[in-house]
Amino acid sequence: MVTGLAALLALAGCDNSAKPSEPSLPAPSIISGSVQLAAGCAQQAQIAHRPAEPSVAAEPGNPRQLVASWLENQSPDHVGITVALSRDGGASWSRSPLPGLLTCDGGRYVHVSDPWVSIGGDGVIYLTSLGTQAPTPAGTAHDIVVSVSRDHGTSWDAPVVLESGTVPPAQPDKEAILADPRRPGTAYAVWATYQVTPGAEPSVDRVMFGRTRDGGRTWSTPSVIYSSNDEAQENQLLMTAGGVLLDVFVEGSSLPGTPHPPPLPVKIRVIRSTDQGQTWSAPIDAAQFTYTNAVDPGTGSQLRFFGQDITAAAAGNALYVAWFEDHSEFSSILVARSEDAGLHWRAPQVVVREKAEAFLPTLAVAGDATVGLLWFDFRHFTPNSSVLNTDIWFSSSRDRGLHWTERHAAGPFDLRSAPAVRFGPFLGDYMGLCGLPDGFAAVFIQAKPQSRNGSTDVFFSHIGG
């Protein structure tokens, strides 16, 4: 696998280290900070200002209406979701906690994570998250939850639970949501359900799906849309101009969380529905690649950026998927494309090739079909330095992924100063990027010295295509 990819890289001539520097984008602005907590939460809160894992969406037909969300520590035991609203295309923002989730706000959860936001053509905002209840002798319950706003984020309905599972034996996880751009009041949710054995890493064998037709007030009974003896993760929903609904995910025999995993071939796969999720096709292979794991180039220690961190986007009937590979000789980010709603896929294009590690790509498509790619890399890290300089980069293509123009988006910041969690410093398992008529809205995390409110902050950038 590595040999074949190296040949592809050589033919593509995509060694970015040999290219002159591209111009930088305008400096991003910080949009995280203090929030007005509910009274019960304010009494408990020890504001840590450690936001992570942002998502962003623009309202169809009114792209100046932006909604961003991220997880944020509100106390050592309470991690909630912050929602930020902009009504002027990102020039100014207001922030508030997503209500009704944490126990201190009348909810049932001590930890809420994995925020994912989507907005329908009718302006209804759907925000899905993963809620974790306090442990009991029977185990720890995890819920897939959807919150809905019908007034552009000013107020929110009580959260609706789509599925609940208790560990052991079952754990729902890593959900995503998509508002149907063609049908008012219709939205779709997808997530994975792990089978958990005490003392062992969880495995995945079911991809679950739910649908609403009444603006999120009620949801269909969760249904299994894909089942496998392997692991299927990072499910993401897309819809084509022709109304085909797609679930994109990564699948492999095992997806280890070790600093130097053995060579492991994994696939990006797509399942399609032409009837709004009532029936689904057999999986179609979009790409195959080698699973790798980013490590600290100075210490060799593990970082929380894994090969399963794929990303997907759609425009018209074209689909794009991207992933990263970090090998000892080089690092790369590749993009594969389908022109026929996921039925057939072209060979991948190499967008990034660096000697330094590149990781955590995020894809989106603008209104003029420009493809945008955001990612992190270590090209400015200095060996033996006490800081792990990390930069954020953006590349765009106006010819459907054939040629790309790279620009520096933000940084450097010290990744080692980000909050330490299992598998290393934590920025999140994804960043936020959505297409606008005139470019892209990007939300991403940076740590010190770029952050101002705490160890991390959320940054916004309006990127021209």
Side-chain angles (χ1 to χ4, degrees), residues 268-289:
I268 299 178
R269 312 193 84 181
V270 177
I271 55 175
R272 305 168 76 252
S273 174
T274 58
D275 54 12
Q276 301 152 64
Q278 297 182 69
T279 60
W280 293 83
S281 72
I284 299 167
D285 292 344
Q288 181 170 322
F289 64 98

Side-chain angles (χ1 to χ4, degrees), residues 12 24 36 38 46 62 90 173 182 214 216 219 259 263 294 323 336 387 391 403 411 437 463:
S24 294
Q36 184 66 45
Q46 300 175 20
N62 185 10
D173 192 20
R182 302 156 56 94
D214 58 7
W219 290 79
W323 64 96
V387 300
D391 288 90
H403 302 89
I463 303 174

Side-chain angles (χ1 to χ4, degrees), residues 413-415 417-418 427 445-451 455-457 459:
F413 64 90
D414 179 13
L415 180 59
S417 70
L427 303 178
I445 303 297
Q446 293 189 90
K448 295 291 186 181
Q450 303 296 338
S451 63
S455 58
T456 56
D457 264 314
F459 290 76

